[in-house]
């Protein structure tokens, strides 16, 4: 449907032939003569823009724009857009799924059963659990709604907000206090600077669960590993990483649930994101 929409508006389409994230050399080659780009996570900087003089619009399929040098795009007269609304429900669903998988021992119980080991374990319910949200934008608010329906207590750290921006019964809190209080910490923030640093890991309530569907660089991986070794973090789920594909040390930890950046990978979400991105591109170019 997104491709049909482009064709019906008179655009010639060049498809990524590799089925993966492109290298700089590959994207420069594919952008030869292109006026618009439906962008994934490729690094788009002045070197790319200088090699693509016809490029007028970048339409990011997704929320994050960390891979786009916005200042350079502005210098080259390239307009940049994204699709912030479409991923909201899919990422919120995935976060809840990860939280339930961890707290109710679903993955380990399934593994036991496949090994013909009938072993019952006591999990941890979300009802009355303290959940700290780092970031409270579209996805954070939707995820908080799902946790709230399960009876969790919602605490929010977001320096850009005031009490008036927070949903009724949710609590705006200082990061230090929130880390000490939280049974579950879930990250829904943007930015490139680490938030969960060595100093902040020391404040985390012992045995807490850490969830990250936002940005891989918001957690210092070496410090997370130390926190896991010291049992400060009992379990973690990561869907994003500083470098992707990820094959690092966390792959050896049974108490870390790892997924390959698939929080937006539902049929409905991908279709909605792609259609929204195509409409953004058409609007800019026409």
């Amino acid at each position: 449907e997104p491709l049909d929409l482009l064709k019906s508006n008179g655009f010639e389409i060049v498809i990524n032939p590799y089925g993966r994230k492109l290298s700089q050399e590959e994207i420069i080659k594919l952008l030869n003569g292109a006026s618009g780009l439906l962008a994934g996570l490729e690094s788009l900087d002045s070197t790319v823009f200088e090699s693509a003089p016809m490029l007028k619009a970048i339409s990011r399929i997704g929320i994050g724009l960390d891979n786009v040098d916005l200042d350079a795009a502005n210098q080259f007269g390239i307009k940049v857009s994204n699709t912030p609304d479409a991923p909201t429900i899919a990422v919120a669903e995935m976060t809840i799924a990860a939280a339930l998988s961890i707290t109710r021992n679903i993955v380990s119980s399934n593994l036991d059963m496949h090994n013909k080991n009938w072993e019952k374990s006591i999990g941890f319910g979300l009802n009355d659990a303290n959940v700290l949200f780092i970031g409270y934008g579209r996805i954070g608010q939707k995820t908080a709604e799902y946790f709230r329906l399960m009876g969790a207590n919602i605490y929010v750290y977001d320096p850009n907000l005031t009490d008036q921006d927070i949903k009724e019964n949710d609590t705006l809190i200082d990061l230090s206090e929130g880390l000490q209080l939280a049974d579950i910490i879930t990250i829904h923030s943007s930015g490139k600077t680490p938030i969960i640093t060595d100093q902040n890991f020391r404040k985390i309530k012992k045995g807490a669960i850490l969830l990250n569907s936002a940005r891989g660089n918001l957690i210092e991986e070496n410090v997370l590993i130390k926190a896991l070794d010291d049992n400060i973090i009992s379990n973690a789920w990561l869907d994003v990483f500083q470098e992707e594909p990820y094959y690092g040390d966390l792959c050896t930890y049974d108490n870390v649930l790892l997924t390959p950046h698939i929080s937006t990978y539902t049929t409905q979400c991908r279709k909605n994101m792609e259609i929204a991105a195509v409409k953004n591109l058409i609007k800019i170019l026409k």
Side-chain angles (χ1 to χ4, degrees), residues 98-162:
L100 288 169
S101 295
I102 290 171
T103 57
R104 298 306 304 271
N105 303 323
I106 293 172
V107 175
S108 58
S109 294
N110 174 69
L111 184 61
D112 282 339
M113 289 292 292
H114 281 280
N115 289 325
K116 298 184 178 180
N117 182 21
W118 184 271
E119 186 70 33
K120 296 186 180 183
S121 60
I122 296 179
F124 179 77
L126 296 185
N127 183 55
D128 208 31
N130 294 331
V131 183
L132 173 65
F133 282 75
I134 298 177
Y136 196 69
R138 292 174 178 85
I139 293 174
Q141 290 179 39
K142 177 57 70 173
T143 309
E145 177 185 327
Y146 291 169
F147 271 105
R148 199 181 302 115
L149 287 170
M150 295 190 174
N153 306 311
I154 308 300
Y155 296 88
V156 176
Y157 167 71
D158 192 321
N160 299 313
L161 302 181
T162 66

Side-chain angles (χ1 to χ4, degrees), residues 17-32:
Y18 305 103
R20 56 164 171 76
K21 182 178 174 181
L22 299 167
S23 69
Q24 186 177 80
E25 182 179 330
E26 289 166 344
I27 198 164
I28 287 173
K29 183 178 179 181
L30 284 172
L31 282 174
N32 182 31

Side-chain angles (χ1 to χ4, degrees), residues 221-235:
E221 182 179 316
N222 61 324
V223 184
L224 171 57
I225 288 172
K226 186 176 185 302
L228 289 163
D229 291 340
D230 293 342
N231 296 315
I232 295 171
I233 298 294
S234 64
N235 296 85

Side-chain angles (χ1 to χ4, degrees), residues 73-111:
N74 186 54
Q75 287 179 344
F76 282 87
I78 300 168
K79 293 184 179 180
V80 181
S81 62
N82 63 348
T83 59
D85 295 314
T88 300
I89 291 175
V91 179
E93 286 179 348
M94 188 74 166
T95 305
I96 285 287
L100 288 169
S101 295
I102 290 171
T103 57
R104 298 306 304 271
N105 303 323
I106 293 172
V107 175
S108 58
S109 294
N110 174 69
L111 184 61

